[in-house]
Every structure is written in C-alpha cells, then in structure tokens.
Amino acid sequence: MMKVFKMILIGCIMVLAFSGMSFATVETFDDLITGQTSYGFDADNDGMDDVVFSTTDPYGFNTVGPGEYMTYIQQPGLEGTSLLNPDLRVDFLTKAKDYLKFGFALDSDSDNADTWTSFKVYDAAGNEIASDFEYGYYTYPNGTDPSNYPEGVIEVTFTGIAAYALFDFSSDYGRYIIDNFEGTYGTTEVPTIPEPATIILLGLGVVGLVGAKRKF
Ligand SMILES: [Ca+2]
Ligand SMILES: [Ca+2]
Ligand SMILES: [Ca+2]
C-alpha cells in the first residue's frame, strides 16, 4: 500500500513539474520596421501574430539601436518617442497570463530622476492588474565602463488575463528602446492551469501507465 501511495505521489509530482514548465515567448524585434504606428509581431514564430504594438506618435516607431554595449538590449530593439503618455501600447491577440518582462534603455546622458519607465497591465474590462516603475541606470557590461545608455528591466506578475498594456517613458532627449519582450502570450502556448482534481487524475494515470509497464 505504501508503495502505491509513493507511486501516486511521484506521478503527481511529475504532472506538476510538467504543467509548471514555462513556455515563455520572447519578441526580440528583429523585423526591420521604420516609422510604423502599428505593427504585429509573431514572437513564437508559428505564423500567427501574438502582439500588436502601437503608438499615437505620427512618426511611429523603429527597430534600431542602441549599440552593442548594453546589458538588457541586444540590438535592434523597438525605438520611439518618450514625449507622450502613453508612448507605446501592446495588445495581446490571444491574451497574456502569469508575467511580463522586458529590458528598456533611455536616451539620457546621465541616470537621473527624469530617466524612467512605467508599465501598466490591463484586463479586457480595462482594470489595471499589474504595474511596474523603474529608473534607468548605467550598467557595466565589461565591469568598468558604463553602458551606452541608462537601462533597466521591467517585470510584473499577475493573476487573471491581460488584454493590453501601456508604456510611458521619460528621458532627457525624448527617445526610448525596449527589447526581449517576454511572457506567456504566444499563440502556440496553451494558457491553462490544471486543477488539483485533474492533477491527481493525471497522477493516477501516470501511476497506471508505470504499473502496467511493470506488470508487462
Ligand atoms: Ca533585440
Ligand atoms: Ca505566434
Ligand atoms: Ca512619456
């Protein structure tokens, strides 16, 4: 009996480990874009767009820069004006869950109080479900010399389903860059969390399979 219980436990752990695996999607902004006010990205490369970035800036955004010598941006990133509020919007075409994370850089020549990024996440009803605010700082990619621009990382976790998010940036010279926009929002991802009853059932199933194999 102890043996069976142990096997059920192992089965449950296996199912939990599998369902907890992260299928992160990361948009690296490698498409060549110049002056687009709205653009859809297929971050998980399955042929279907996952996110649409848009701006009210008539000059749009670009995929360019900010140079090789950065910690959180592997150029190109998505680049645009920081003079608006919001400066940038992202809509999740199949919704997003769990978390969102990205690197940002700001066109300032010092890391000061006006060099920051604000990020707010909303559900389909327009309720704010998560937010983050971070100042940009110089990093030291080689240990001694400061990065090309002040930079940082925005990271939010949330329960519920995100429909869209708004970005606001502030910098000395009015430009921002973001890169490596990561989360669970890809069209190939199955955004379901198994319920405890399902986990136990699946665990029993795994045990059943193992048991059947042993008998055989
Ligand atoms: Ca990139
Ligand atoms: Ca896709
Ligand atoms: Ca702004």
Side-chain angles (χ1 to χ4, degrees):
M1 198 61 207
M2 257 331 261
K3 211 171 174 185
V4 172
F5 181 75
K6 211 170 149 189
M7 280 167 74
I8 290 172
L9 199 70
I10 290 167
C12 288
I13 288 166
M14 280 168 75
V15 170
L16 269 175
F18 183 73
S19 64
M21 272 167 66
S22 173
F23 297 95
T25 294
V26 185
E27 175 52 52
T28 53
F29 301 109
D30 295 321
D31 292 3
L32 184 63
I33 299 162
T34 308
Q36 288 278 350
T37 54
S38 180
Y39 191 87
F41 292 90
D42 175 16
D44 56 3
N45 300 310
D46 69 337
M48 285 182 284
D49 285 351
D50 310 299
V51 280
V52 174
F53 282 86
S54 57
T55 177
T56 55
D57 178 11
Y59 296 103
F61 45 67
N62 317 285
T63 47
V64 65
E68 300 282 353
Y69 194 65
M70 301 289 290
T71 299
Y72 302 120
I73 312 278
Q74 283 72 51
Q75 66 173 351
L78 192 72
E79 187 269 353
T81 184
S82 66
L83 299 178
L84 305 173
N85 180 15
D87 297 297
L88 186 67
R89 174 184 169 121
V90 60
D91 285 89
F92 302 103
L93 299 180
T94 53
K95 310 302 181 214
K97 68 187 247 310
D98 299 338
Y99 79 105
L100 291 161
K101 184 180 177 182
F102 60 92
F104 66 86
L106 298 158
D107 193 3
S108 295
D109 51 18
S110 67
D111 36 17
N112 59 63
D114 296 322
T115 299
W116 49 257
T117 294
S118 155
F119 184 65
K120 292 180 178 175
V121 183
Y122 299 86
D123 65 14
N127 302 307
E128 187 183 310
I129 56 173
S131 69
D132 191 11
F133 176 98
E134 301 290 341
Y135 289 101
Y137 295 100
Y138 287 108
T139 61
Y140 296 85
N142 69 359
T144 42
D145 305 309
S147 52
N148 292 348
Y149 297 96
E151 56 180 333
V153 174
I154 288 282
E155 187 164 17
V156 292
T157 57
F158 51 91
T159 51
I161 302 294
Y164 66 97
L166 301 176
F167 305 70
D168 186 19
F169 305 96
S170 175
S171 70
D172 293 352
Y173 302 110
R175 309 296 291 179
Y176 73 85
I177 295 183
I178 61 165
D179 199 15
N180 303 319
F181 189 75
E182 180 183 331
T184 312
Y185 60 81
T187 42
T188 52
E189 290 163 331
V190 184
T192 52
I193 299 162
E195 287 173 10
T198 316
I199 292 168
I200 291 165
L201 263 173
L202 284 169
L204 282 169
V206 171
V207 169
L209 276 174
V210 172
K213 220 172 182 178
R214 280 199 174 173
K215 265 183 193 161
F216 188 76

